[in-house]
């Protein structure tokens, strides 16, 4: 009996381990809606909506100028967080990195054993993504501090080897330093050459760029475009004609659930069957099945040839995002430096 009591006491006195960790906590406890304007996020705030792209490779773009981190899955934005990067004398290096190590309960080996929850190490000389202080300006010793809850979600979602691009206006084009809804870089960290449709070009379809993998479709009222992503690579783009382009439609997510009957919703195809789609609206966060048209009074048309190419590609897990928001970045002629601004070194712990 005494042994049992000692065991129970020992369990209660331990910090939460594999079943849950006990850490210092920074930032907001819950995300704001993904459609929250990025420039309105206050220190410690973040957005996160992983359902918008249920599958696909994950990458993070950190803008030193904006002091924000942008997380993409399958090339589509699923979350934005305010961050704090390196202060004067301890700059955060720019370049393309992959995560080398993940440690849910890391402590610094060079800064007084400081707690660094949800560490994803980027270099051998101490730079990492991790939960940390967020005063609203660069304050770290070179690491990228994230809100704790954002760091936890990213840690759980991202695999080891995830690509992280850290950029500023001196090392990257505007589309990378100020990312948009679609990822400005590939999963390997190279700048995406998202060529716009020519004036006489109705659509573009290049499935050979990524032959297999999860499919995500984004339709933007602001841009009047539909963009198709696979494995984070754009494989198709088309013009979209809205009957009432000035009327708001909000933001909606549709996810196909049945490979045998899944078809795009009728807002994408006249008379198309709507079966086994799960609908998630940012405004009410309620699931419905089967789903009715999320856009009942604002139809749009897509070139039939483009749909004939797209529809056979739709399978279970295909996501369709319909949004008011602009998704296309502004192009810049500045080339991106793909090499880190700091040489690798060893022998120091992360900060």
């Amino acid at each position: 009996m005494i042994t049992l009591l000692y065991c129970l006491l020992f369990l209660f006195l331990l910090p939460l381990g594999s079943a849950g960790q006990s850490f210092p906590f920074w930032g907001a406890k819950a995300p704001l809606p993904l459609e929250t304007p990025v420039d309105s996020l206050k220190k410690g705030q973040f957005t996160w909506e992983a359902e918008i792209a249920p599958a696909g490779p994950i990458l993070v773009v950190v803008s030193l100028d904006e002091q924000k981190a942008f997380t993409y899955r399958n090339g589509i934005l699923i979350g934005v967080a305010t961050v704090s990067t390196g202060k004067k004398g301890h700059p955060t290096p720019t370049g393309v990195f992959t995560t080398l190590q993940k440690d849910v309960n890391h402590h610094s080996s060079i800064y007084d054993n400081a707690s660094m929850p949800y560490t994803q190490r980027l270099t051998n000389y101490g730079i990492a993504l991790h939960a940390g202080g967020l005063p609203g300006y660069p304050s770290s010793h070179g690491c990228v501090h994230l809100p704790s809850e954002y760091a936890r979600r990213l840690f759980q979602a991202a695999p080891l080897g995830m690509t992280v691009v850290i950029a500023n206006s001196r090392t990257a084009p505007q589309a990378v330093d100020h990312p948009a809804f679609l990822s400005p870089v590939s999963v390997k960290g190279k700048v995406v050459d998202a060529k716009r449709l020519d004036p006489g070009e109705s659509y573009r379809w290049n499935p050979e760029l990524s032959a297999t993998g999860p499919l995500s479709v984004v339709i933007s009222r602001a841009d009047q475009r539909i963009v198709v992503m696979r494995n984070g690579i754009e494989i198709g783009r088309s013009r979209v004609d809205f009957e009432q382009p000035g009327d708001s439609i909000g933001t909606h997510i549709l996810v196909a659930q049945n490979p045998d009957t899944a078809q795009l919703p009728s807002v994408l195809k006249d008379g198309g069957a709507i079966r086994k789609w799960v609908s998630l609206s940012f405004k009410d966060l309620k699931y419905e099945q089967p789903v009715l048209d999320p856009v009942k009074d604002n139809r749009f048309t897509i070139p039939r040839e483009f749909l004939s190419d797209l529809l056979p590609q739709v399978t279970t897990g295909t996501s369709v995002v319909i949004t008011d928001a602009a998704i296309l970045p502004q192009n810049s002629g500045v080339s991106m430096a793909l090499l880190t601004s700091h040489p690798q070194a060893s022998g120091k712990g992360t900060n």
Side-chain angles (χ1 to χ4, degrees):
M1 181 67 179
I2 295 177
T3 302
L4 177 60
L5 289 175
Y6 271 119
C7 289
L8 291 174
L9 180 60
F10 177 75
L11 289 174
F12 278 112
L13 290 177
L14 276 175
L16 294 177
S18 58
Q21 299 285 346
S22 179
F23 304 134
F25 193 92
W26 297 274
K29 295 182 178 180
L32 295 171
L34 189 62
E35 55 193 0
T36 303
V38 171
D39 57 5
S40 71
L41 292 176
K42 297 178 174 59
K43 61 182 181 181
Q45 292 184 330
F46 68 96
T47 66
W48 187 271
E49 201 72 61
E51 296 88 351
I52 201 170
I58 294 178
L59 69 90
V60 173
V61 177
V62 177
S63 170
L64 299 180
D65 293 329
E66 289 197 24
Q67 288 290 285
K68 292 183 177 68
F70 299 76
T71 299
Y72 295 88
R73 182 154 57 193
N74 207 22
I76 294 175
L77 187 69
I78 63 171
V80 182
T82 54
V83 303
S84 180
T85 58
K87 60 186 176 181
K88 187 176 181 179
H90 298 273
T92 298
T94 59
V96 179
F97 308 86
T98 57
T99 52
L100 305 175
Q101 179 188 29
K102 296 178 67 174
D103 186 351
V104 71
N105 190 16
H106 187 75
H107 287 77
S108 175
S109 62
I110 54 176
Y111 293 105
D112 299 324
N113 200 39
S115 179
M116 300 161 53
Y118 309 112
T119 284
Q120 299 192 66
R121 185 166 60 86
L122 304 179
T123 74
N124 289 327
Y125 56 90
I127 304 302
L129 305 174
H130 64 83
L134 299 160
Y137 53 82
S139 66
S140 80
H141 287 93
C143 285
V144 178
H145 288 182
L146 303 169
S148 293
E149 179 59 14
Y150 187 93
R152 183 190 69 81
R153 295 179 184 218
L154 178 62
F155 189 94
Q156 290 183 345
L160 186 66
M162 173 186 67
T163 297
V164 178
V165 177
I166 303 176
N168 58 29
S169 59
R170 296 185 302 277
T171 63
Q174 180 180 356
V176 178
D177 188 32
H178 303 283
F181 190 79
L182 299 180
S183 176
V185 295
S186 71
V187 294
K188 295 185 178 180
K190 294 185 177 181
V191 177
V192 173
D193 182 17
K195 184 178 180 294
R196 292 177 179 268
L197 294 174
D198 294 330
E201 192 176 15
S202 178
Y203 72 93
R204 184 167 60 233
W205 184 251
N206 304 110
E208 71 279 0
L209 297 178
S210 183
T212 61
L215 201 72
S216 296
V217 182
V218 186
I219 302 168
S220 165
R221 180 181 64 85
D223 292 322
Q224 297 198 48
R225 292 290 186 273
I226 176 173
V227 176
V228 183
M229 308 290 291
R230 176 178 275 153
N231 292 319
I233 299 171
E234 181 180 323
I235 64 170
R237 177 182 297 210
S238 174
R239 300 182 187 279
V240 179
D241 293 323
F242 281 80
E243 292 182 5
Q244 301 173 23
D247 291 352
S248 174
I249 57 175
T251 300
H252 306 266
I253 308 170
L254 304 171
V255 181
Q257 297 295 296
N258 189 311
D260 298 322
T261 58
Q263 298 184 41
L264 290 176
S266 62
V267 291
L268 303 185
K269 181 183 178 185
D270 292 338
I274 308 176
R275 302 181 186 178
K276 299 293 185 181
W277 285 83
V278 174
S279 174
L280 171 62
S281 170
F282 283 158
K283 293 184 177 179
D284 56 25
L285 297 179
K286 292 181 180 178
Y287 289 89
E288 301 173 1
Q289 187 176 4
V291 62
L292 300 178
D293 289 350
V295 189
K296 295 181 179 178
D297 301 319
N298 196 328
R299 301 302 179 109
F300 47 84
T301 57
I302 298 169
R304 192 170 298 276
E305 296 84 356
F306 184 80
L307 282 176
S308 67
D309 289 330
L310 172 59
L311 288 172
Q313 306 294 322
V314 175
T315 61
T316 293
T318 294
S319 61
V320 178
V321 180
I322 307 170
T323 181
D324 286 324
I327 60 175
L328 301 182
Q330 296 296 318
N331 292 330
S332 169
V334 183
S335 61
M336 179 173 181
L338 292 179
L339 298 178
T340 174
S341 62
H342 288 210
Q344 286 279 18
S346 61
K348 294 184 178 181
T350 41
N351 66 325

